[in-house]
Amino acid sequence: MKIRISSKKATWIVVILIALLPLLSIINYMQRFVVRNGVVTAFRFEVRAPIDGIVDNLSVVPGTVAGGKTALRLGNKRKAGQHETLEQELNSLDESLTQSKKMLAEYIAQISTDLDQSLGILRARLIGEKASQNESFHRRERTIKLVEDLVATREDADRVESEYRKNEAKVKTTKLEIEQLKHRRRMLSQGMFPQDLSDGVIQVQRRINTLKQGILECKRRMSEADTAFIDEAAPLIAGKGNMNNRSARASVVLPDTAVVWEVDVQNGMEVTKGDRLLSYIDRSRLMVEVAVDDATLELIKPGHPARIRLFGKPEFIEGKVTRVMGSGGVWHSNLFAATIKRRSFRDGRVLVQIKDDKLYNEVEMFCGVGRTAYAEFEGIGLVEQYFGTFLR
């Protein structure tokens, strides 16, 4: 009889142990809150045409990176022709100005040489005239003594006096001519051209002034033609990219972290201002959008740690909540490349920022954007979810 009781006890103990085995798994499951309605997403940026033009040199396709390289170019043939005409006119004016300046420099060099030679001639003549003046001065002195001694007549004295005065006048005239040439030399070095110095220099200088005015006028017309396009081209700049705007030309350079999402144009296609050219995602800011019931949103705050797992992958990705919004909030889905397809009318949205090198480098698969995922929020289980109000 005792043996039977012991057998029954052992049987019950085994049954109870077997019944309690799933309890550990149940307790572990009760400590976890898993949301299986999530999708990997990223911000989507659009590039639109700032001018009317024709697409040229398109070098990207969806699922590629074009950072640092020109993705496409736009060109407006009619406006480009106007600009090229003005450029040709400006180049012609510049060439004429260069030639005129060269001619002016040659004129000035020749005139300077002539002035220097004339000064040399006058200085040499002045030496001879001073010698003649000195000679006539001594002759006059001797004649005056001879007149006093009654050896020479008064007529001889008048003749030598006249000769002395003439030589004196010649010396003064030569000195004045030398000073005049020196003055003209100084004026020439300062860029002032006396009217009687050279008609050719004056004409060339007038032509230079006319060409300078023409260049300023041409640049003003080019600036007026460019102004309307400079402001319009600004939206075409993507991220850290640069735009080469030449009145009717523009090029798009995408950031290094950009992955081309869609391309809406082809080479040779004509587009108008405002047409979408392409769109891209920023792979450095990958996120997961998770649908969470409004009743559970009270447990989740921005900065809350989370673990993300993509369907089909065994490993988890660490993340952090960046945004929490209730079911009635306005969610601009056009800002994102992917969004949750099905959502209950009581489901709010939680945005989780993730960083994963593998996804970052899966460019040909758009870095996982659009893949379904589920999320686990740290410190939140089924107990907190259903009995959190009573526990708090």
Side-chain angles (χ1 to χ4, degrees), residues 172-377:
K172 289 182 179 180
T173 301
T174 302
K175 287 183 177 180
L176 289 174
E177 289 178 358
I178 291 174
E179 290 300 322
Q180 186 181 34
L181 289 179
K182 286 182 177 179
H183 176 66
R184 292 185 176 183
R185 189 71 176 81
R186 287 193 297 269
M187 291 180 63
L188 189 64
S189 63
Q190 295 173 1
M192 296 181 291
F193 311 113
Q195 186 70 33
D196 60 340
L197 190 60
S198 174
D199 293 338
V201 172
I202 303 301
Q203 293 176 1
V204 173
Q205 183 61 50
R206 288 175 180 172
R207 176 170 175 75
I208 288 175
N209 294 336
T210 302
L211 289 171
K212 287 182 177 179
Q213 291 294 330
I215 289 174
L216 291 175
E217 176 64 20
C218 185
K219 288 182 177 179
R220 182 187 64 79
R221 283 183 288 158
M222 291 179 68
S223 177
E224 290 177 353
D226 290 347
T227 300
F229 293 96
I230 292 174
D231 295 337
E232 294 168 354
L236 196 58
I237 300 175
K240 297 181 180 179
N242 187 20
M243 172 179 302
N244 177 21
N245 182 30
R246 293 283 294 174
S247 174
R249 299 182 182 90
S251 59
V252 179
V253 179
L254 301 180
D256 293 336
T257 58
V259 176
V260 179
W261 184 253
E262 291 177 317
V263 178
D264 301 289
V265 294
Q266 296 178 355
N267 281 327
M269 182 181 293
E270 188 172 353
V271 297
T272 58
K273 178 182 176 182
D275 288 348
R276 193 176 72 167
L277 302 175
L278 57 86
S279 61
Y280 66 92
I281 60 174
D282 185 0
R283 59 175 173 164
S284 66
R285 301 178 64 185
L286 293 176
M287 296 165 286
V288 175
E289 179 188 347
V290 184
V292 179
D293 188 271
D294 279 342
T296 310
L297 290 181
E298 184 66 26
L299 303 174
I300 303 173
K301 306 290 182 183
H304 198 117
R307 293 202 311 167
I308 304 297
R309 182 175 175 182
L310 305 185
F311 281 10
K313 285 195 173 185
E315 65 271 9
F316 284 90
I317 303 172
E318 300 297 326
K320 184 176 291 186
V321 176
T322 60
R323 186 176 179 182
V324 179
M325 180 173 290
S327 59
V330 178
W331 188 267
H332 297 284
S333 58
N334 59 333
L335 298 177
F336 300 96
T339 186
I340 296 174
K341 292 182 178 180
R342 296 181 180 179
R343 187 171 60 90
S344 165
F345 70 94
R346 291 194 313 175
D347 281 346
R349 287 182 169 95
V350 175
L351 203 61
V352 180
Q353 186 87 31
I354 61 173
K355 289 185 178 181
D356 185 75
D357 292 338
K358 292 183 178 180
L359 285 180
Y360 182 88
N361 292 316
E362 290 180 357
V363 175
E364 66 282 354
M365 298 182 64
F366 300 98
C367 304
V369 173
R371 291 193 59 175
T372 54
Y374 63 82
E376 296 182 7
F377 297 92

Side-chain angles (χ1 to χ4, degrees), residues 156-173:
D156 295 332
D158 292 339
R159 187 174 58 254
V160 295
E161 179 68 24
S162 176
E163 185 181 355
Y164 171 73
R165 294 301 178 185
K166 288 179 181 179
N167 289 329
E168 185 181 31
K170 287 180 179 180
V171 170
K172 289 182 179 180
T173 301

